[in-house]
Amino acid sequence: LANTGFLSLCAHGRVTGLAVEAGAAVSHVTSVWGGQTLRKGTRSLGVAGDHLSGHLHQLLLQRSHTEPLTKKVLTQLKEQCCYVSLDYEGDLQEERSHHPARFQTPDGRWITLGKERFCCPEPLFRPELLQLSRPGLHQLAWQSLQAVPQQARRHVLGNIVLAGGSSMFPGFPERMCLELNLLFRGAGVHIEVLASPRRATAAWAGGSMAASLTSFQHTWMTKGEYQEHGAQYVHVKF
């Protein structure tokens, strides 16, 4: 067992930083200092890829009363056509910003997307669009950074890593960077994020790398430790 945020950092050659993970079922923000996960700096958001697929489906049904689409087709449609807007409110009001995209379903139907292209992933930054009273992923990242000890904060700020399949939307890294810099405006820092082209599988890659290091073996939790201390011992080890 290992924390996926830590593993995502490992995939980028880091043991200190902030991992912003947007996956299929849940999104996480994790602060890590010297290989140790900071529990007070861990946040989760109940908006991820599966929720965005459902949101896209509802948007399409509201617009054109199209026939229901399977989860597989929705995922393909989302991954091929959707993107994150850098100015959601402005693009929503300006119809010329609704650059259409066409998608053919396996049964031969054609679907044209307009504003749905950037409305689909917006709940990552605005969960209220899904009737969730929660901060957006960028705000959770800000909260996580506030929980980092002052002496470590600049080191963590300089190593913000994006990971997970739902971070692969075009425009996602730029929007995250934009939002974080707005939140830290006046703090005398300029924030950049690390967005590897292979970040969708960063946790897996980091796990493979970490498991091969002999120095990592002292952090493993054995079956005996689990039986002796129980599930809560995970938080001690990781």
PDB file of all heavy atoms in Angstrom, residues 98-128:
ATOM      1  N   HIS A  98     -18.052  28.889 -28.783  1.00  0.00           N
ATOM      2  CA  HIS A  98     -18.550  27.515 -28.737  1.00  0.00           C
ATOM      3  C   HIS A  98     -18.090  26.754 -29.979  1.00  0.00           C
ATOM      4  O   HIS A  98     -18.880  26.423 -30.853  1.00  0.00           O
ATOM      5  CB  HIS A  98     -20.083  27.499 -28.655  1.00  0.00           C
ATOM      6  CG  HIS A  98     -20.631  28.279 -27.507  1.00  0.00           C
ATOM      7  ND1 HIS A  98     -21.981  28.504 -27.335  1.00  0.00           N
ATOM      8  CD2 HIS A  98     -20.020  28.891 -26.462  1.00  0.00           C
ATOM      9  CE1 HIS A  98     -22.166  29.221 -26.239  1.00  0.00           C
ATOM     10  NE2 HIS A  98     -20.990  29.477 -25.696  1.00  0.00           N
ATOM     11  N   HIS A  99     -16.814  26.502 -30.074  1.00  0.00           N
ATOM     12  CA  HIS A  99     -16.253  25.844 -31.256  1.00  0.00           C
ATOM     13  C   HIS A  99     -16.828  24.430 -31.378  1.00  0.00           C
ATOM     14  O   HIS A  99     -16.517  23.556 -30.568  1.00  0.00           O
ATOM     15  CB  HIS A  99     -14.732  25.792 -31.152  1.00  0.00           C
ATOM     16  CG  HIS A  99     -14.111  27.129 -30.879  1.00  0.00           C
ATOM     17  ND1 HIS A  99     -14.169  28.174 -31.780  1.00  0.00           N
ATOM     18  CD2 HIS A  99     -13.436  27.607 -29.796  1.00  0.00           C
ATOM     19  CE1 HIS A  99     -13.552  29.226 -31.279  1.00  0.00           C
ATOM     20  NE2 HIS A  99     -13.096  28.917 -30.075  1.00  0.00           N
ATOM     21  N   PRO A 100     -17.646  24.183 -32.386  1.00  0.00           N
ATOM     22  CA  PRO A 100     -18.314  22.878 -32.487  1.00  0.00           C
ATOM     23  C   PRO A 100     -17.330  21.744 -32.783  1.00  0.00           C
ATOM     24  O   PRO A 100     -16.283  21.942 -33.400  1.00  0.00           O
ATOM     25  CB  PRO A 100     -19.290  23.065 -33.662  1.00  0.00           C
ATOM     26  CG  PRO A 100     -19.366  24.538 -33.891  1.00  0.00           C
ATOM     27  CD  PRO A 100     -18.048  25.095 -33.468  1.00  0.00           C
ATOM     28  N   ALA A 101     -17.695  20.574 -32.314  1.00  0.00           N
ATOM     29  CA  ALA A 101     -16.935  19.361 -32.618  1.00  0.00           C
ATOM     30  C   ALA A 101     -17.939  18.247 -32.883  1.00  0.00           C
ATOM     31  O   ALA A 101     -18.977  18.161 -32.222  1.00  0.00           O
ATOM     32  CB  ALA A 101     -16.017  18.992 -31.459  1.00  0.00           C
ATOM     33  N   ARG A 102     -17.625  17.407 -33.850  1.00  0.00           N
ATOM     34  CA  ARG A 102     -18.531  16.313 -34.207  1.00  0.00           C
ATOM     35  C   ARG A 102     -17.918  14.978 -33.798  1.00  0.00           C
ATOM     36  O   ARG A 102     -16.710  14.775 -33.878  1.00  0.00           O
ATOM     37  CB  ARG A 102     -18.833  16.316 -35.708  1.00  0.00           C
ATOM     38  CG  ARG A 102     -19.515  17.587 -36.205  1.00  0.00           C
ATOM     39  CD  ARG A 102     -19.982  17.415 -37.642  1.00  0.00           C
ATOM     40  NE  ARG A 102     -21.190  16.584 -37.708  1.00  0.00           N
ATOM     41  CZ  ARG A 102     -21.527  15.843 -38.764  1.00  0.00           C
ATOM     42  NH1 ARG A 102     -20.732  15.792 -39.819  1.00  0.00           N
ATOM     43  NH2 ARG A 102     -22.640  15.146 -38.760  1.00  0.00           N
ATOM     44  N   PHE A 103     -18.797  14.088 -33.365  1.00  0.00           N
ATOM     45  CA  PHE A 103     -18.364  12.767 -32.899  1.00  0.00           C
ATOM     46  C   PHE A 103     -19.335  11.726 -33.440  1.00  0.00           C
ATOM     47  O   PHE A 103     -20.557  11.898 -33.367  1.00  0.00           O
ATOM     48  CB  PHE A 103     -18.363  12.737 -31.366  1.00  0.00           C
ATOM     49  CG  PHE A 103     -18.041  11.389 -30.772  1.00  0.00           C
ATOM     50  CD1 PHE A 103     -16.728  11.002 -30.573  1.00  0.00           C
ATOM     51  CD2 PHE A 103     -19.063  10.517 -30.404  1.00  0.00           C
ATOM     52  CE1 PHE A 103     -16.429   9.765 -30.015  1.00  0.00           C
ATOM     53  CE2 PHE A 103     -18.774   9.277 -29.851  1.00  0.00           C
ATOM     54  CZ  PHE A 103     -17.448   8.904 -29.654  1.00  0.00           C
ATOM     55  N   GLN A 104     -18.778  10.645 -33.989  1.00  0.00           N
ATOM     56  CA  GLN A 104     -19.620   9.569 -34.512  1.00  0.00           C
ATOM     57  C   GLN A 104     -19.634   8.405 -33.535  1.00  0.00           C
ATOM     58  O   GLN A 104     -18.587   7.886 -33.142  1.00  0.00           O
ATOM     59  CB  GLN A 104     -19.130   9.091 -35.878  1.00  0.00           C
ATOM     60  CG  GLN A 104     -20.080   8.096 -36.542  1.00  0.00           C
ATOM     61  CD  GLN A 104     -19.653   7.729 -37.952  1.00  0.00           C
ATOM     62  OE1 GLN A 104     -18.467   7.792 -38.285  1.00  0.00           O
ATOM     63  NE2 GLN A 104     -20.611   7.364 -38.796  1.00  0.00           N
ATOM     64  N   THR A 105     -20.819   7.993 -33.147  1.00  0.00           N
ATOM     65  CA  THR A 105     -20.967   6.870 -32.226  1.00  0.00           C
ATOM     66  C   THR A 105     -20.745   5.556 -32.979  1.00  0.00           C
ATOM     67  O   THR A 105     -20.825   5.517 -34.216  1.00  0.00           O
ATOM     68  CB  THR A 105     -22.369   6.868 -31.594  1.00  0.00           C
ATOM     69  OG1 THR A 105     -23.343   6.669 -32.630  1.00  0.00           O
ATOM     70  CG2 THR A 105     -22.649   8.188 -30.885  1.00  0.00           C
ATOM     71  N   PRO A 106     -20.479   4.473 -32.261  1.00  0.00           N
ATOM     72  CA  PRO A 106     -20.251   3.181 -32.923  1.00  0.00           C
ATOM     73  C   PRO A 106     -21.419   2.722 -33.797  1.00  0.00           C
ATOM     74  O   PRO A 106     -21.215   1.982 -34.758  1.00  0.00           O
ATOM     75  CB  PRO A 106     -20.039   2.225 -31.743  1.00  0.00           C
ATOM     76  CG  PRO A 106     -19.489   3.087 -30.660  1.00  0.00           C
ATOM     77  CD  PRO A 106     -20.201   4.390 -30.814  1.00  0.00           C
ATOM     78  N   ASP A 107     -22.648   3.178 -33.477  1.00  0.00           N
ATOM     79  CA  ASP A 107     -23.796   2.767 -34.292  1.00  0.00           C
ATOM     80  C   ASP A 107     -24.061   3.719 -35.458  1.00  0.00           C
ATOM     81  O   ASP A 107     -25.089   3.624 -36.126  1.00  0.00           O
ATOM     82  CB  ASP A 107     -25.050   2.618 -33.429  1.00  0.00           C
ATOM     83  CG  ASP A 107     -25.457   3.919 -32.743  1.00  0.00           C
ATOM     84  OD1 ASP A 107     -24.810   4.957 -33.005  1.00  0.00           O
ATOM     85  OD2 ASP A 107     -26.407   3.899 -31.943  1.00  0.00           O
ATOM     86  N   GLY A 108     -23.129   4.660 -35.689  1.00  0.00           N
ATOM     87  CA  GLY A 108     -23.214   5.515 -36.869  1.00  0.00           C
ATOM     88  C   GLY A 108     -23.863   6.866 -36.669  1.00  0.00           C
ATOM     89  O   GLY A 108     -23.913   7.669 -37.599  1.00  0.00           O
ATOM     90  N   ARG A 109     -24.360   7.157 -35.479  1.00  0.00           N
ATOM     91  CA  ARG A 109     -24.981   8.460 -35.233  1.00  0.00           C
ATOM     92  C   ARG A 109     -23.910   9.539 -35.098  1.00  0.00           C
ATOM     93  O   ARG A 109     -22.813   9.281 -34.614  1.00  0.00           O
ATOM     94  CB  ARG A 109     -25.817   8.419 -33.948  1.00  0.00           C
ATOM     95  CG  ARG A 109     -27.123   7.658 -34.060  1.00  0.00           C
ATOM     96  CD  ARG A 109     -27.858   7.687 -32.727  1.00  0.00           C
ATOM     97  NE  ARG A 109     -27.189   6.883 -31.712  1.00  0.00           N
ATOM     98  CZ  ARG A 109     -27.337   7.060 -30.399  1.00  0.00           C
ATOM     99  NH1 ARG A 109     -28.103   8.031 -29.952  1.00  0.00           N
ATOM    100  NH2 ARG A 109     -26.711   6.271 -29.543  1.00  0.00           N
ATOM    101  N   TRP A 110     -24.259  10.743 -35.517  1.00  0.00           N
ATOM    102  CA  TRP A 110     -23.353  11.878 -35.354  1.00  0.00           C
ATOM    103  C   TRP A 110     -23.876  12.786 -34.241  1.00  0.00           C
ATOM    104  O   TRP A 110     -25.063  13.091 -34.186  1.00  0.00           O
ATOM    105  CB  TRP A 110     -23.233  12.680 -36.650  1.00  0.00           C
ATOM    106  CG  TRP A 110     -22.344  12.021 -37.664  1.00  0.00           C
ATOM    107  CD1 TRP A 110     -22.733  11.236 -38.703  1.00  0.00           C
ATOM    108  CD2 TRP A 110     -20.922  12.088 -37.713  1.00  0.00           C
ATOM    109  NE1 TRP A 110     -21.639  10.796 -39.407  1.00  0.00           N
ATOM    110  CE2 TRP A 110     -20.510  11.307 -38.826  1.00  0.00           C
ATOM    111  CE3 TRP A 110     -19.950  12.715 -36.933  1.00  0.00           C
ATOM    112  CZ2 TRP A 110     -19.172  11.149 -39.169  1.00  0.00           C
ATOM    113  CZ3 TRP A 110     -18.617  12.564 -37.276  1.00  0.00           C
ATOM    114  CH2 TRP A 110     -18.232  11.788 -38.384  1.00  0.00           C
ATOM    115  N   ILE A 111     -22.970  13.198 -33.367  1.00  0.00           N
ATOM    116  CA  ILE A 111     -23.314  14.115 -32.282  1.00  0.00           C
ATOM    117  C   ILE A 111     -22.443  15.356 -32.422  1.00  0.00           C
ATOM    118  O   ILE A 111     -21.222  15.255 -32.585  1.00  0.00           O
ATOM    119  CB  ILE A 111     -23.070  13.470 -30.903  1.00  0.00           C
ATOM    120  CG1 ILE A 111     -23.976  12.248 -30.727  1.00  0.00           C
ATOM    121  CG2 ILE A 111     -23.313  14.476 -29.778  1.00  0.00           C
ATOM    122  CD1 ILE A 111     -23.700  11.477 -29.448  1.00  0.00           C
ATOM    123  N   THR A 112     -23.074  16.517 -32.397  1.00  0.00           N
ATOM    124  CA  THR A 112     -22.334  17.776 -32.469  1.00  0.00           C
ATOM    125  C   THR A 112     -22.346  18.442 -31.101  1.00  0.00           C
ATOM    126  O   THR A 112     -23.407  18.636 -30.505  1.00  0.00           O
ATOM    127  CB  THR A 112     -22.953  18.724 -33.506  1.00  0.00           C
ATOM    128  OG1 THR A 112     -22.936  18.092 -34.794  1.00  0.00           O
ATOM    129  CG2 THR A 112     -22.160  20.027 -33.580  1.00  0.00           C
ATOM    130  N   LEU A 113     -21.172  18.769 -30.605  1.00  0.00           N
ATOM    131  CA  LEU A 113     -21.040  19.436 -29.315  1.00  0.00           C
ATOM    132  C   LEU A 113     -20.670  20.893 -29.520  1.00  0.00           C
ATOM    133  O   LEU A 113     -19.828  21.212 -30.364  1.00  0.00           O
ATOM    134  CB  LEU A 113     -19.960  18.771 -28.455  1.00  0.00           C
ATOM    135  CG  LEU A 113     -20.328  17.485 -27.723  1.00  0.00           C
ATOM    136  CD1 LEU A 113     -20.409  16.323 -28.697  1.00  0.00           C
ATOM    137  CD2 LEU A 113     -19.300  17.180 -26.646  1.00  0.00           C
ATOM    138  N   GLY A 114     -21.291  21.772 -28.756  1.00  0.00           N
ATOM    139  CA  GLY A 114     -20.944  23.183 -28.754  1.00  0.00           C
ATOM    140  C   GLY A 114     -20.361  23.544 -27.400  1.00  0.00           C
ATOM    141  O   GLY A 114     -19.264  23.129 -27.046  1.00  0.00           O
ATOM    142  N   LYS A 115     -21.138  24.288 -26.616  1.00  0.00           N
ATOM    143  CA  LYS A 115     -20.658  24.687 -25.290  1.00  0.00           C
ATOM    144  C   LYS A 115     -20.481  23.493 -24.356  1.00  0.00           C
ATOM    145  O   LYS A 115     -19.775  23.589 -23.345  1.00  0.00           O
ATOM    146  CB  LYS A 115     -21.610  25.699 -24.663  1.00  0.00           C
ATOM    147  CG  LYS A 115     -23.004  25.165 -24.384  1.00  0.00           C
ATOM    148  CD  LYS A 115     -23.893  26.249 -23.797  1.00  0.00           C
ATOM    149  CE  LYS A 115     -25.292  25.712 -23.514  1.00  0.00           C
ATOM    150  NZ  LYS A 115     -26.174  26.766 -22.952  1.00  0.00           N
ATOM    151  N   GLU A 116     -21.108  22.356 -24.699  1.00  0.00           N
ATOM    152  CA  GLU A 116     -20.939  21.152 -23.877  1.00  0.00           C
ATOM    153  C   GLU A 116     -19.475  20.739 -23.777  1.00  0.00           C
ATOM    154  O   GLU A 116     -19.071  20.095 -22.811  1.00  0.00           O
ATOM    155  CB  GLU A 116     -21.754  19.991 -24.454  1.00  0.00           C
ATOM    156  CG  GLU A 116     -23.249  20.194 -24.434  1.00  0.00           C
ATOM    157  CD  GLU A 116     -23.749  20.984 -25.629  1.00  0.00           C
ATOM    158  OE1 GLU A 116     -22.940  21.252 -26.557  1.00  0.00           O
ATOM    159  OE2 GLU A 116     -24.944  21.330 -25.647  1.00  0.00           O
ATOM    160  N   ARG A 117     -18.683  21.134 -24.769  1.00  0.00           N
ATOM    161  CA  ARG A 117     -17.269  20.756 -24.778  1.00  0.00           C
ATOM    162  C   ARG A 117     -16.535  21.287 -23.550  1.00  0.00           C
ATOM    163  O   ARG A 117     -15.694  20.586 -22.977  1.00  0.00           O
ATOM    164  CB  ARG A 117     -16.586  21.283 -26.044  1.00  0.00           C
ATOM    165  CG  ARG A 117     -17.122  20.698 -27.342  1.00  0.00           C
ATOM    166  CD  ARG A 117     -16.309  21.203 -28.519  1.00  0.00           C
ATOM    167  NE  ARG A 117     -14.944  20.687 -28.479  1.00  0.00           N
ATOM    168  CZ  ARG A 117     -13.939  21.184 -29.188  1.00  0.00           C
ATOM    169  NH1 ARG A 117     -14.139  22.239 -29.976  1.00  0.00           N
ATOM    170  NH2 ARG A 117     -12.741  20.651 -29.104  1.00  0.00           N
ATOM    171  N   PHE A 118     -16.836  22.525 -23.145  1.00  0.00           N
ATOM    172  CA  PHE A 118     -16.145  23.070 -21.972  1.00  0.00           C
ATOM    173  C   PHE A 118     -17.021  23.072 -20.718  1.00  0.00           C
ATOM    174  O   PHE A 118     -16.508  23.246 -19.610  1.00  0.00           O
ATOM    175  CB  PHE A 118     -15.611  24.482 -22.251  1.00  0.00           C
ATOM    176  CG  PHE A 118     -16.653  25.512 -22.606  1.00  0.00           C
ATOM    177  CD1 PHE A 118     -17.345  26.194 -21.620  1.00  0.00           C
ATOM    178  CD2 PHE A 118     -16.935  25.813 -23.937  1.00  0.00           C
ATOM    179  CE1 PHE A 118     -18.298  27.154 -21.941  1.00  0.00           C
ATOM    180  CE2 PHE A 118     -17.890  26.765 -24.268  1.00  0.00           C
ATOM    181  CZ  PHE A 118     -18.573  27.441 -23.267  1.00  0.00           C
ATOM    182  N   CYS A 119     -18.325  22.856 -20.889  1.00  0.00           N
ATOM    183  CA  CYS A 119     -19.197  22.737 -19.711  1.00  0.00           C
ATOM    184  C   CYS A 119     -18.983  21.404 -19.001  1.00  0.00           C
ATOM    185  O   CYS A 119     -19.150  21.313 -17.782  1.00  0.00           O
ATOM    186  CB  CYS A 119     -20.661  22.869 -20.121  1.00  0.00           C
ATOM    187  SG  CYS A 119     -21.164  24.548 -20.558  1.00  0.00           S
ATOM    188  N   CYS A 120     -18.620  20.377 -19.751  1.00  0.00           N
ATOM    189  CA  CYS A 120     -18.450  19.041 -19.177  1.00  0.00           C
ATOM    190  C   CYS A 120     -17.432  19.003 -18.033  1.00  0.00           C
ATOM    191  O   CYS A 120     -17.760  18.550 -16.933  1.00  0.00           O
ATOM    192  CB  CYS A 120     -18.079  18.050 -20.282  1.00  0.00           C
ATOM    193  SG  CYS A 120     -17.490  16.449 -19.686  1.00  0.00           S
ATOM    194  N   PRO A 121     -16.182  19.469 -18.210  1.00  0.00           N
ATOM    195  CA  PRO A 121     -15.199  19.353 -17.119  1.00  0.00           C
ATOM    196  C   PRO A 121     -15.243  20.478 -16.087  1.00  0.00           C
ATOM    197  O   PRO A 121     -14.532  20.420 -15.089  1.00  0.00           O
ATOM    198  CB  PRO A 121     -13.859  19.359 -17.860  1.00  0.00           C
ATOM    199  CG  PRO A 121     -14.118  20.133 -19.102  1.00  0.00           C
ATOM    200  CD  PRO A 121     -15.551  19.907 -19.466  1.00  0.00           C
ATOM    201  N   GLU A 122     -16.088  21.489 -16.297  1.00  0.00           N
ATOM    202  CA  GLU A 122     -16.097  22.647 -15.401  1.00  0.00           C
ATOM    203  C   GLU A 122     -16.400  22.303 -13.942  1.00  0.00           C
ATOM    204  O   GLU A 122     -15.892  22.976 -13.029  1.00  0.00           O
ATOM    205  CB  GLU A 122     -17.087  23.693 -15.915  1.00  0.00           C
ATOM    206  CG  GLU A 122     -17.057  25.016 -15.173  1.00  0.00           C
ATOM    207  CD  GLU A 122     -15.717  25.745 -15.267  1.00  0.00           C
ATOM    208  OE1 GLU A 122     -14.959  25.476 -16.224  1.00  0.00           O
ATOM    209  OE2 GLU A 122     -15.443  26.583 -14.382  1.00  0.00           O
ATOM    210  N   PRO A 123     -17.204  21.264 -13.630  1.00  0.00           N
ATOM    211  CA  PRO A 123     -17.447  20.932 -12.219  1.00  0.00           C
ATOM    212  C   PRO A 123     -16.194  20.599 -11.416  1.00  0.00           C
ATOM    213  O   PRO A 123     -16.240  20.632 -10.181  1.00  0.00           O
ATOM    214  CB  PRO A 123     -18.388  19.720 -12.303  1.00  0.00           C
ATOM    215  CG  PRO A 123     -19.150  19.942 -13.569  1.00  0.00           C
ATOM    216  CD  PRO A 123     -18.118  20.503 -14.520  1.00  0.00           C
ATOM    217  N   LEU A 124     -15.085  20.289 -12.069  1.00  0.00           N
ATOM    218  CA  LEU A 124     -13.841  20.100 -11.321  1.00  0.00           C
ATOM    219  C   LEU A 124     -13.448  21.385 -10.602  1.00  0.00           C
ATOM    220  O   LEU A 124     -12.853  21.348  -9.518  1.00  0.00           O
ATOM    221  CB  LEU A 124     -12.709  19.666 -12.260  1.00  0.00           C
ATOM    222  CG  LEU A 124     -12.795  18.242 -12.825  1.00  0.00           C
ATOM    223  CD1 LEU A 124     -11.761  18.046 -13.922  1.00  0.00           C
ATOM    224  CD2 LEU A 124     -12.607  17.212 -11.717  1.00  0.00           C
ATOM    225  N   PHE A 125     -13.795  22.511 -11.194  1.00  0.00           N
ATOM    226  CA  PHE A 125     -13.495  23.812 -10.601  1.00  0.00           C
ATOM    227  C   PHE A 125     -14.729  24.439  -9.951  1.00  0.00           C
ATOM    228  O   PHE A 125     -14.595  25.304  -9.088  1.00  0.00           O
ATOM    229  CB  PHE A 125     -12.939  24.754 -11.678  1.00  0.00           C
ATOM    230  CG  PHE A 125     -11.651  24.277 -12.277  1.00  0.00           C
ATOM    231  CD1 PHE A 125     -11.651  23.482 -13.420  1.00  0.00           C
ATOM    232  CD2 PHE A 125     -10.434  24.593 -11.694  1.00  0.00           C
ATOM    233  CE1 PHE A 125     -10.457  23.023 -13.974  1.00  0.00           C
ATOM    234  CE2 PHE A 125      -9.240  24.136 -12.238  1.00  0.00           C
ATOM    235  CZ  PHE A 125      -9.249  23.348 -13.377  1.00  0.00           C
ATOM    236  N   ARG A 126     -15.917  23.985 -10.369  1.00  0.00           N
ATOM    237  CA  ARG A 126     -17.176  24.507  -9.825  1.00  0.00           C
ATOM    238  C   ARG A 126     -18.106  23.336  -9.495  1.00  0.00           C
ATOM    239  O   ARG A 126     -19.030  23.037 -10.261  1.00  0.00           O
ATOM    240  CB  ARG A 126     -17.858  25.433 -10.836  1.00  0.00           C
ATOM    241  CG  ARG A 126     -17.073  26.680 -11.176  1.00  0.00           C
ATOM    242  CD  ARG A 126     -17.767  27.432 -12.295  1.00  0.00           C
ATOM    243  NE  ARG A 126     -17.021  28.602 -12.688  1.00  0.00           N
ATOM    244  CZ  ARG A 126     -17.511  29.844 -12.703  1.00  0.00           C
ATOM    245  NH1 ARG A 126     -18.757  30.060 -12.349  1.00  0.00           N
ATOM    246  NH2 ARG A 126     -16.764  30.858 -13.079  1.00  0.00           N
ATOM    247  N   PRO A 127     -17.886  22.673  -8.376  1.00  0.00           N
ATOM    248  CA  PRO A 127     -18.738  21.528  -8.019  1.00  0.00           C
ATOM    249  C   PRO A 127     -20.210  21.886  -7.871  1.00  0.00           C
ATOM    250  O   PRO A 127     -21.073  21.009  -7.966  1.00  0.00           O
ATOM    251  CB  PRO A 127     -18.152  21.063  -6.675  1.00  0.00           C
ATOM    252  CG  PRO A 127     -16.747  21.566  -6.677  1.00  0.00           C
ATOM    253  CD  PRO A 127     -16.798  22.874  -7.409  1.00  0.00           C
ATOM    254  N   GLU A 128     -20.506  23.167  -7.672  1.00  0.00           N
ATOM    255  CA  GLU A 128     -21.907  23.572  -7.526  1.00  0.00           C
ATOM    256  C   GLU A 128     -22.718  23.289  -8.783  1.00  0.00           C
ATOM    257  O   GLU A 128     -23.951  23.193  -8.732  1.00  0.00           O
ATOM    258  CB  GLU A 128     -22.004  25.058  -7.161  1.00  0.00           C
ATOM    259  CG  GLU A 128     -21.488  26.026  -8.211  1.00  0.00           C
ATOM    260  CD  GLU A 128     -20.022  26.388  -8.037  1.00  0.00           C
ATOM    261  OE1 GLU A 128     -19.307  25.614  -7.360  1.00  0.00           O
ATOM    262  OE2 GLU A 128     -19.601  27.425  -8.576  1.00  0.00           O
TER     263      GLU A 128
END
